């Protein structure tokens, strides 16, 4: 579904790419001290899942990067 959205619905690329970036950052940057912070075990599980998907996501992201105009490459490049 991820790849289909990025390939076939260019109008949805910005929110999908922002969401992916937030997802990764929320599991790699230190969490706040409020009650909503993820435990280290939850972060480890989330990162394991993200790693399992990274290879296929990178393939899609690099294909999209190569197919979009220069004005859109920056957004894709940030996520890569």
């Amino acid at each position: 579904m991820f790849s289909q959205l990025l390939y076939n619905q260019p109008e949805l690329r910005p929110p999908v790419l922002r969401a992916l970036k937030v997802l990764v950052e929320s599991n790699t940057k230190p969490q706040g001290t409020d009650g909503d912070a993820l435990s280290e075990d939850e972060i480890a599980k989330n990162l394991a899942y993200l790693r399992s998907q990274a290879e296929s996501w990178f393939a899609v992201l690099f294909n999209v990067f190569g197919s979009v105009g220069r004005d859109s490459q920056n957004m894709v490049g940030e996520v890569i």
Side-chain angles (χ1 to χ4, degrees):
M1 184 191 240
F2 172 74
S3 59
Q4 289 180 3
L5 283 173
L6 291 178
Y7 286 135
N8 300 323
Q9 297 188 26
E11 69 279 2
L12 293 179
R13 282 181 192 147
V16 169
L17 292 171
R18 278 192 303 271
L20 181 57
K21 186 175 178 183
V22 167
L23 178 67
V24 171
E25 287 177 348
S26 68
N27 284 285
T28 57
K29 292 186 177 179
Q31 300 293 315
T33 57
D34 59 7
D36 295 335
L38 297 173
S39 71
E40 288 185 29
D41 187 48
E42 290 172 312
I43 291 172
K45 287 178 184 177
N46 292 348
L47 287 176
Y49 175 75
L50 291 173
R51 282 186 192 105
S52 75
Q53 301 300 306
E55 186 175 337
S56 62
W57 289 353
F58 278 137
V60 170
L61 290 168
F62 281 117
N63 285 337
V64 170
F65 182 86
S67 70
V68 298
R70 285 190 167 186
D71 56 329
S72 298
Q73 284 182 337
N74 187 43
M75 177 180 20
V76 180
E78 284 181 26
V79 175
I80 292 172

